[in-house]
Amino acid sequence: MRYQITSDSTCDLSPEQLERYNIRLLPLYVSMDGKTLRDGVDVKPDDIYAHVSAGGSLPQTAAVNLADYVRAFTELSEKNDFVIHVCISLDFSCCYQNACLAAQEYDNVSVIDSENICTGQGYLVLRAAKWAADGLTARNICMRLQN
């Protein structure tokens, strides 16, 4: 069975973990010095720390937008039997709402609210990837993630 586990870029997984488990990230946006950058793509945490340490203002973040989710889910749903996207908590971002709106168009895309941020979210993403690799169905994985 072909599958794809995805998450937004707040999950704090290492590049090695992403590669090992074939996890795809959808980047949030970071506004810094009047520029809008993609988290983990155009700007890395060390860049942000250096910016603030040098006296720069604190960057602002923005959720993955609906168009980004539609683009990703369209591509991934065509190539895979199922896609599971694990989002940053709804309490911290509207990523979950945007992902749910986009996922409505696809029978094989599920969206999970991690009810976490950073490492807690990353743990759930890794669990989903491991369960998928073990052959669990999308429904079974989603049920386990929501318990």
Side-chain angles (χ1 to χ4, degrees):
M1 183 163 291
R2 296 174 321 212
Y3 62 88
Q4 181 68 62
I5 306 300
T6 64
S7 181
D8 54 65
S9 59
T10 61
C11 67
D12 282 352
L13 295 176
S14 70
E16 294 80 19
Q17 290 170 312
L18 297 172
E19 183 177 341
R20 178 177 180 190
Y21 295 103
N22 189 35
I23 297 165
R24 180 163 167 185
L25 296 184
L26 283 77
L28 271 76
Y29 291 92
V30 178
S31 295
M32 198 165 68
D33 289 336
K35 297 177 187 171
T36 300
L37 308 164
R38 294 170 295 161
D39 179 36
V41 178
D42 306 315
V43 64
K44 308 279 189 215
D46 287 342
D47 301 325
I48 295 170
Y49 301 141
H51 170 76
V52 173
S53 292
S57 61
L58 287 175
Q60 300 293 313
T61 61
V64 179
N65 63 50
L66 182 61
D68 289 344
Y69 280 119
V70 168
R71 235 182 332 273
F73 293 165
T74 298
E75 173 197 341
L76 297 173
S77 68
E78 291 172 358
K79 295 178 182 177
N80 294 283
D81 296 309
F82 68 86
V83 177
I84 297 175
H85 181 74
V86 181
C87 279
I88 183 176
S89 173
L90 175 60
D91 294 335
F92 299 113
S93 172
C94 65
C95 285
Y96 177 75
Q97 294 146 318
N98 291 346
C100 286
L101 284 171
Q104 289 177 359
E105 301 299 317
Y106 310 95
D107 292 334
N108 63 341
V109 177
S110 300
V111 179
I112 301 293
D113 178 354
S114 72
E115 299 180 8
N116 275 284
I117 189 171
C118 304
T119 305
Q121 177 187 354
Y123 174 77
L124 294 178
V125 174
L126 287 177
R127 294 300 323 146
K130 289 177 182 178
W131 288 329
D134 288 343
L136 272 67
T137 65
R139 182 171 186 233
N140 197 323
I141 294 167
C142 290
M143 286 174 45
R144 287 181 178 206
L145 289 173
Q146 293 173 331
N147 286 328

